[in-house]
Amino acid sequence: MRNISQKLKYPILGLVSAIALLVIWSFIEPRVLNIETETAKIPNLPPSWQGKQIGQISDFQIGLWGDNRGTARRSVAKLVEAKPAVVLITGDFIYKPGSNIKPEIETAVDIVRPLIEADIPTYAVLGNHDYGMSSRSASPQTEQAERLRTALESAGIKVLDNESVQLQLPDSDDTLYLVGIGSLWANRDDPEQALSDVPDSSPRITMMHNPDSFEKFPANSAPLAVAGHTHGGQLRVPGLPQWSWLRFTQKDQVYADGWAKGFGEPGNQLYVNTGIGMSIAPIRLFCPPELTFFTLQAD
């Protein structure tokens, strides 16, 4: 028996040490910003938009204990340095609206304000947490969401809610449409309404918070769509992004990270950003925070 105990001693110590290291790293990894560069093809893209960059960040979750506001600020600093043509922020600025969310709103706005000061056109949609919804069964806190929307727009960030805007470069009249979808969990996502003012076959980018909204888009109506919400699963198996915490907690198929191949209608493509912040606990494992740059090309 003693020999068996001796033989097991070191493997057990090794296992315990490995687990301890993973736990420690899960609190460090949120401070490691991953910058992804992608090429996005858009039918009928005007020549002036060829090669231009679009930046995407998502899911700050300001207000979670131990939130990741430092990395959020660094992601914005990287965007200011790169100065893309447009920046898209795909929701969940704050974590859990309460009786007094003024500090969280002020922090979120302060984080993104440098984008406006750098004259970078910046657009946003709201997510479920911006409505105080940590689950689909929760009641949306519309008043709190409106307070956030007002603060963002006062700072110069346009918040889209089932609507489109025309994007134009300073030295060109060529138009690229941006379509923004409301929060799915708040029962505010309406692609039909959002697309109503977009001419057929016109070049467009679509942004939403929840990837599940993407399934509602008709074929060939969202050649480039971006979303957040999933946090990449937050805890993942290294090298296997689809094997995440979401895989074990969601009944339906979840696209947690990167291009959602085979998802949605023909002619539509969705990219899911893993976000900056976190839910429940301020940890990430093999799923670092993400800043994404898309280089536009004509298809």
Side-chain angles (χ1 to χ4, degrees):
M1 182 66 69
R2 183 177 180 182
N3 289 337
I4 294 175
S5 298
Q6 287 292 336
K7 290 180 180 180
L8 291 176
K9 176 181 178 181
Y10 292 106
I12 291 173
L13 286 174
L15 178 62
V16 171
S17 298
I19 292 173
L21 287 173
L22 286 175
V23 171
I24 293 171
W25 177 250
S26 71
F27 284 94
I28 296 173
E29 188 173 290
R31 279 69 191 169
V32 180
L33 181 64
N34 179 39
I35 300 177
E36 293 284 351
T37 56
E38 302 287 343
T39 298
K41 294 184 177 181
I42 299 178
N44 303 318
L45 184 72
S48 63
W49 282 93
Q50 179 77 20
K52 296 299 183 183
Q53 279 194 326
I54 304 295
Q56 182 198 6
I57 48 178
S58 193
D59 297 87
F60 293 166
Q61 307 286 15
I62 300 300
L64 173 71
W65 64 280
D67 60 31
N68 207 16
R69 61 188 69 186
T71 307
R73 293 186 189 279
R74 287 195 291 116
S75 70
V76 169
K78 291 288 186 182
L79 286 165
V80 170
E81 180 182 345
K83 201 155 188 179
V86 178
V87 168
L88 309 178
I89 309 176
T90 45
D92 275 5
F93 288 85
I94 55 182
Y95 183 64
K96 187 178 181 180
S99 58
N100 180 20
I101 61 167
K102 183 179 179 180
E104 284 82 1
I105 290 178
E106 289 178 346
T107 298
V109 172
D110 184 60
I111 288 172
V112 298
R113 195 185 307 276
L115 296 169
I116 304 305
E117 294 173 346
D119 294 323
I120 301 174
T122 304
Y123 298 85
V125 292
L126 299 186
N128 54 287
H129 279 280
D130 298 323
Y131 283 88
M133 301 180 70
S134 57
S135 70
R136 295 194 70 161
S137 60
S139 297
Q141 299 181 32
T142 304
E143 181 180 347
Q144 305 285 40
E146 288 303 317
R147 288 178 61 185
L148 174 61
R149 181 196 308 275
T150 299
L152 289 169
E153 295 201 331
S154 295
I157 295 172
K158 173 63 177 175
V159 180
L160 300 178
D161 187 12
N162 299 318
E163 58 189 306
S164 64
V165 294
Q166 298 182 38
L167 305 178
Q168 290 183 326
L169 297 169
D171 54 352
S172 172
D173 293 331
D174 292 337
T175 295
L176 174 65
Y177 283 85
L178 175 63
V179 180
I181 310 301
S183 170
L184 182 148
W185 283 15
N187 198 30
R188 295 180 68 96
D189 64 329
D190 189 343
E192 182 178 357
Q193 178 182 334
L195 292 166
S196 61
D197 293 329
V198 181
D200 292 341
S201 302
S202 62
R204 80 285 301 271
I205 299 171
T206 301
M207 63 186 300
M208 65 203 73
H209 176 66
N210 194 314
D212 289 347
S213 295
F214 181 69
E215 292 183 290
K216 299 182 179 182
F217 279 85
N220 302 307
S221 67
L224 171 59
V226 298
H229 179 66
T230 68
H231 306 173
Q234 204 161 310
L235 305 174
R236 301 197 305 207
V237 176
L240 298 171
Q242 292 303 326
W243 285 93
S244 70
W245 179 247
L246 284 179
R247 185 88 175 199
F248 303 101
T249 59
Q250 300 290 329
K251 293 181 180 179
D252 56 349
Q253 191 173 15
V254 175
Y255 290 93
D257 177 17
W259 294 105
K261 296 179 180 180
F263 186 48
E265 298 296 326
N268 297 341
Q269 286 288 327
L270 173 68
Y271 186 91
V272 183
N273 181 294
T274 64
I276 300 294
M278 299 147 286
S279 289
I280 303 176
I283 59 176
R284 283 177 174 261
L285 190 60
F286 305 117
C287 183
E290 179 179 341
L291 161 62
T292 312
F293 289 101
F294 299 93
T295 300
L296 305 184
Q297 290 187 357
D299 188 1

